[in-house]
Amino acid sequence: MPPISKLTPDQAIYHFISGYTSKIAGTEIGLGIEPEITFSTCFGGPFMVHHPYDYANLLKQKWSATAPAAGLVNTGWTGGPFGVGKRISIQHTRRLLNAA
């Protein structure tokens, strides 16, 4: 995955619903040393009152009204799998966002 990607509205909604993320050792109890892939619908699944599609439709309506630009920032691993690569630093993430 590239460090930063420009998304279409459909891609943004897909990623919003998917909520692809990972559990990181040190931030989650009981994990080993490697990150564990997980999903959190709309990046807050346990706290969502309505079905995820309700939130996706709301996002789509708001998007249609304002037509904003959207991007996806990879704040995860770069340079290879866990143990080979490393997490993208906050300094690099800030530079990517400023450049975008």
Side-chain angles (χ1 to χ4, degrees):
M1 181 175 160
I4 192 167
S5 303
K6 185 174 181 180
L7 301 178
T8 66
D10 287 338
Q11 290 170 327
I13 291 168
Y14 169 81
H15 285 288
F16 175 69
I17 290 175
S18 298
Y20 174 81
T21 188
S22 63
K23 295 179 181 179
I24 306 292
T27 61
E28 300 281 339
I29 296 173
L31 288 180
I33 60 169
E34 291 195 28
E36 180 183 310
I37 295 170
T38 190
F39 293 89
S40 178
T41 306
C42 304
F43 297 98
F47 307 102
M48 300 296 165
V49 177
H50 302 287
H51 192 278
Y53 290 114
D54 293 339
Y55 297 105
N57 286 328
L58 181 59
L59 176 59
K60 191 172 189 174
Q61 289 170 9
K62 299 287 185 182
W63 196 298
S64 296
T66 60
L72 181 65
V73 179
N74 177 4
T75 60
W77 297 104
T78 186
F82 182 78
V84 175
K86 61 181 180 178
R87 190 169 178 96
I88 297 174
S89 72
I90 190 70
Q91 293 84 7
H92 287 130
T93 299
R94 287 180 180 147
R95 287 186 199 130
L96 285 166
L97 292 172
N98 287 333

